[in-house]
């Protein structure tokens, strides 16, 4: 799991409709080769925004590789989570954004960490700047040029997904209205995504449900027992008088 948590990996702004396309192709039963071809064709006919020229072959390949890694060919330990996320997408398509958020967070913990730093800053102030987010990420990943560049792709993805809004000032963002996650099974799935994104694979219940990486969402209040009884992959560990720790089974 260490390699996944240390990687940055997202070399392109990821648009929400691209995630939908990848998941839909998987749902209709195409094999990996067929999905890759379909995604290349899909992205070759799209522009990231109206000001961009046609997507270059290299940039498109980066995007397709990211989408394949997220939905089609995730690491083996993520397959059960991927399958559960796909089932949830079929059952509650209206909550697709939250499901995709969980999936990309598990596969690319860098996305989760950019979101976590963004959410922390938004808890303190109404607006957040790209520079503030990147400075906090450098404390975690080191002052590498790739951190700055790839973090910008993730932040622009947040804007593309409409969970952050551009403000009047360049490089400054505001929070969008949060999405309420009322379906318990989806909330549990999102909790699992956080455990997969955290290197230790465990977290106190309160910190998990209120994780700033979920800043675009409002998760319901749940007990550790409620979660562990409904999840085959999450265990509960009690410590102290009232504290509950959630951890992935087998870790």
């Amino acid at each position: 799991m260490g390699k996944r948590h240390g990687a940055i990996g997202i070399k392109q702004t990821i648009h929400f409709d691209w995630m939908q396309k990848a998941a839909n192709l998987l749902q209709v039963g195409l094999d990996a080769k067929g999905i890759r071809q379909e995604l290349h064709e899909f992205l070759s006919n799209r522009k990231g925004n109206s000001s961009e020229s046609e997507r270059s072959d290299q940039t498109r390949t980066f995007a397709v590789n990211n989408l394949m890694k997220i939905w089609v060919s995730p690491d083996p330990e993520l397959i059960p989570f991927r399958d559960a996320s796909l089932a949830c997408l079929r059952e509650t398509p209206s909550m697709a954004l939250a499901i995709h958020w969980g999936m990309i967070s598990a596969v690319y913990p860098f996305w989760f960490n950019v979101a976590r730093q963004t959410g922390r800053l938004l808890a303190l102030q109404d607006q957040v700047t790209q520079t503030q987010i990147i400075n906090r990420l450098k404390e975690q990943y080191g002052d590498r040029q790739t951190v700055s560049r790839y973090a910008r792709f993730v932040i622009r993805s947040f804007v593309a997904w409409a969970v952050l809004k551009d403000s009047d000032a360049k490089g400054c963002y505001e929070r969008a209205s949060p999405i309420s996650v009322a379906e318990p099974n989806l909330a549990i799935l999102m909790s699992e995504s956080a455990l997969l994104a955290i290197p230790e694979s465990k977290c106190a219940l309160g910190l998990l449900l209120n994780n700033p990486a979920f800043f675009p969402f409002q998760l319901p209040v749940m007990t550790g027992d409620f979660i562990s009884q409904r999840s085959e992959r999450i265990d509960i560990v009690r410590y102290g008088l009232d504290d509950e720790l959630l951890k992935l089974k087998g870790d």
Side-chain angles (χ1 to χ4, degrees):
M1 275 191 144
K3 185 179 178 184
R4 179 164 55 85
H5 292 95
I8 295 177
I10 296 177
K11 302 178 180 180
Q12 162 70 44
T13 301
I14 305 293
H15 290 255
F16 175 70
D17 62 320
W18 302 357
M19 295 282 285
Q20 283 281 73
K21 183 68 174 180
N24 289 342
L25 291 169
L26 190 60
Q27 285 182 324
V28 299
L30 279 185
D31 62 12
K33 183 178 178 182
I35 293 174
R36 185 177 286 277
Q37 289 173 340
E38 287 280 345
L39 288 173
H40 268 286
E41 187 174 334
F42 175 75
L43 293 183
S44 69
N45 296 323
R46 268 170 165 66
K47 297 175 182 177
N49 59 51
S50 57
S51 66
E52 284 185 8
S53 59
E54 191 162 329
R55 197 164 296 285
S56 72
D57 287 345
Q58 184 185 46
T59 305
R60 187 168 66 247
T61 298
F62 285 154
V64 170
N65 287 344
N66 283 147
L67 295 168
M68 293 294 293
K69 183 77 172 172
I70 294 162
W71 274 113
V72 185
S73 309
D75 291 348
E77 73 266 19
L78 299 178
I79 296 292
F81 175 75
R82 189 278 311 272
D83 292 346
S85 297
L86 206 59
C88 192
L89 196 56
R90 277 193 296 267
E91 293 160 11
T92 53
S94 63
M95 295 304 295
L97 194 144
I99 297 165
H100 289 304
W101 190 274
M103 196 67 216
I104 197 170
S105 294
V107 173
Y108 289 110
F110 183 69
W111 175 287
F112 181 86
N113 286 321
V114 178
R116 188 162 58 92
Q117 300 299 355
T118 304
R120 279 181 171 173
L121 288 161
L122 286 171
L124 301 172
Q125 55 204 49
D126 293 333
Q127 295 185 337
V128 59
T129 67
Q130 181 175 276
T131 302
Q132 289 172 330
I133 298 168
I134 290 171
N135 284 342
R136 288 196 168 202
L137 286 165
K138 285 178 178 177
E139 294 172 9
Q140 180 177 357
Y141 287 93
D143 192 0
R144 291 181 277 164
Q145 190 179 6
T146 50
V147 173
S148 301
R149 186 164 70 249
Y150 295 167
R152 284 195 288 271
F153 291 140
V154 177
I155 294 165
R156 292 313 303 172
S157 299
F158 294 169
V159 175
W161 289 36
V163 299
L164 279 185
K165 297 186 293 186
D166 286 311
S167 74
D168 294 335
K170 183 175 172 59
C172 187
Y173 310 98
E174 301 170 355
R175 184 201 303 261
S177 298
I179 299 165
S180 177
V181 178
E183 168 55 47
N185 289 338
L186 173 54
I188 292 169
L189 209 55
M190 293 184 75
S191 299
E192 184 178 354
S193 80
L195 293 174
L196 288 164
I198 297 168
E200 303 79 24
S201 304
K202 59 187 177 184
C203 185
L205 175 63
L207 294 176
L208 198 65
L209 295 178
N210 296 295
N211 198 299
F214 295 138
F215 74 87
F217 310 99
Q218 286 179 332
L219 298 185
V221 175
M222 298 181 290
T223 65
D225 282 333
F226 181 87
I227 294 172
S228 63
Q229 286 167 10
R230 286 162 177 77
S231 173
E232 300 173 347
R233 297 178 296 278
I234 299 176
D235 265 339
I236 179 173
V237 179
R238 287 188 173 80
Y239 63 100
L241 290 174
D242 302 308
D243 295 315
E244 296 176 321
L245 191 76
L246 294 184
K247 65 185 287 288
L248 294 176
K249 290 183 179 179
D251 284 303

